[in-house]
Amino acid sequence: MHLFEVSKNEPILKPEHMREYVKLVCKEAALKKDFPKEHEKIVYELQEPEDVHVKEFDRKVPKKGPLYEFIKHYTVGNKERLAKMSLQEYYILSSAEDLLHKCDPNSEWTYRYPEDIPASTDVPPTGASPFNDQFRNNIDCNRVLDSNQMAGTYPQPSRKFPQKEPDERTKTITEIQGSESGKKVLKKQSNIINEPISLEPELSSFASKQLTEGNAAFTDLSDKNRPTKIGERFGLIFDDEWSEAFEELTGGGMDDQSVISNLLQIIQHGYEYCMKKADEQLEDLQSVMKIPILQPFQIKHSLHVPKDMVQILTTATLKHAKDYRKVTASISSPEVCKVFLREESDFLKRRLQTLSSGEKLRVYIQVCIEQLWLMCVQDPQMSLEFADPNTPIQKDLYKFHEKKGTIVHLTVWPVVFLHKGGPLISKGYVLPK
């Protein structure tokens, strides 16, 4: 990329940016190697003038990672031209990744993408950007994508162990088995072993598990973070923390409708943020789960996955990654709250000037993010709905706030659904005109 060396006073390039760039370049190399015509076409079609507005990239880039946000930081200021050139390259690389997946849906399993720069590539010093033409052209992608390196088998035993001579204990057992009393004992054991065994409990458990996986209509009543419980806790926030934050902000001089709008913005923005982070975490979990399969016993090369196994592995990995994410969601939720407050501080300060001093508001944000995070890690994800202004009030979905009416003026609190297009979990509130 055309990005510059980062100064001490600006965001430092992180390992996650480096890994993402290397992976994107390797995927482009894979597309160029196996689907050259598609690669040539995409590079030709996506070459555009440098004066493209940044918002155009927000709309066009199919998949945005941490590196994208890192580059966007520099689109304002004296590095704008270089940053836009880097965004253009990111657009090409991301589109190449998307096209590779369309050409070969199993590309995540059939190719190995390194976690770090190959040894043959010079790694830039700390604080410097590797994104330049020389870096991209010199990266040893062919060595990474070499089919000879990817193919492999499980290691075999290095030698055969000699058969041991039977010891005295073994000889004694053999003699007992040959006696009349020994034969009677063996016959009795054989009858016990051959008795029919009922598999009904096991099969019932298996069938139940198969029925509930990914099916929101069936829930585990022992799960304290099941959707109905999350909906209940989310509704209590409006009764408690929302009311306290409302009083704190109105007491600071903000008018009622501005407070309602800002508190709702936190819900909307927080929900989108949690959706994004949940998807990123799921992708990370799947990537980590693939490593022991593709590189068992810490072997240096990746195993070749037969085509008939790719779909099985992909489905199983996704299922277990979702299960693990959901089970551990309550552990990760406090950290999600901290990251949200840190990463979205500019948004929060623009909307709410009293964020730094308003303790009730901070508590409101934390409890909202905690429940929104739990919603987003459900399978399928829970859904929120916000009423549009100047539309008829749907009384089956919304309750009135302060007064009754027929037309929506403001949404005060969103409706919660089990999933998009699914059954209602809890009603929202609207302020009528």
Side-chain angles (χ1 to χ4, degrees), residues 281-306:
Q281 188 185 62
L282 185 63
E283 188 173 317
D284 290 342
L285 284 170
Q286 290 181 88
S287 298
V288 172
M289 290 172 69
K290 289 174 183 176
I291 295 174
I293 302 300
L294 296 178
Q295 294 178 287
F297 318 124
Q298 299 181 343
I299 58 176
K300 294 183 179 180
H301 58 267
S302 293
L303 300 181
H304 173 70
V305 180

Side-chain angles (χ1 to χ4, degrees), residues 69-169:
E69 299 300 328
F70 176 82
I71 300 170
K72 271 188 64 177
H73 172 81
Y74 296 101
T75 56
V76 179
N78 58 351
K79 306 295 194 306
E80 180 180 1
R81 187 182 67 84
L82 292 173
K84 284 186 176 179
M85 292 171 68
S86 296
L87 281 179
Q88 177 63 30
E89 183 181 354
Y90 188 96
Y91 175 36
I92 294 173
L93 292 174
S94 182
S95 299
E97 177 190 28
D98 187 59
L99 183 57
L100 175 63
H101 183 71
K102 291 177 181 177
C103 294
D104 180 8
N106 304 324
S107 57
E108 284 293 335
W109 286 100
T110 53
Y111 294 110
R112 172 188 174 229
Y113 304 110
E115 287 298 313
D116 296 302
I117 307 294
S120 61
T121 305
D122 294 330
V123 180
T126 303
S129 170
F131 309 134
N132 53 64
D133 290 335
Q134 183 180 2
F135 176 87
R136 184 178 171 195
N137 293 333
N138 290 343
I139 187 169
D140 196 355
C141 297
N142 289 328
R143 183 169 66 82
V144 175
L145 300 172
D146 185 359
S147 59
N148 292 329
Q149 279 201 342
M150 289 169 56
T153 57
Y154 286 96
Q156 299 296 321
S158 58
R159 60 189 177 90
K160 293 183 178 180
F161 294 94
Q163 296 292 329
K164 292 183 179 181
E165 291 293 328
D167 54 17
E168 291 299 324
R169 182 174 176 274

Side-chain angles (χ1 to χ4, degrees), residues 32-83:
K32 185 176 182 180
K33 179 180 178 183
D34 290 346
F35 307 96
K37 291 183 178 180
E38 285 78 0
H39 176 266
E40 183 179 352
K41 182 180 178 182
I42 199 173
V43 171
Y44 176 78
E45 290 181 350
L46 299 185
Q47 293 293 350
E48 296 182 3
E50 295 178 12
D51 59 351
V52 178
H53 196 275
V54 175
K55 289 185 178 179
E56 283 295 302
F57 289 112
D58 288 340
R59 180 180 62 83
K60 295 187 299 184
V61 173
K63 186 179 179 181
K64 305 174 187 69
L67 177 59
Y68 183 82
E69 299 300 328
F70 176 82
I71 300 170
K72 271 188 64 177
H73 172 81
Y74 296 101
T75 56
V76 179
N78 58 351
K79 306 295 194 306
E80 180 180 1
R81 187 182 67 84
L82 292 173

Side-chain angles (χ1 to χ4, degrees), residues 386-399:
F386 304 84
D388 295 324
N390 302 316
T391 59
I393 295 174
Q394 295 177 271
K395 295 182 180 179
D396 56 331
L397 297 180
Y398 293 95
K399 300 177 183 178

Side-chain angles (χ1 to χ4, degrees), residues 11 86 134 150 181 225 229 235-236 244 255 307 334 397:
S86 296
Q134 183 180 2
M150 289 169 56
S181 59
N225 288 326
K229 288 294 182 182
L236 290 174
E244 293 177 356
D255 65 272
K307 287 186 177 180
L397 297 180

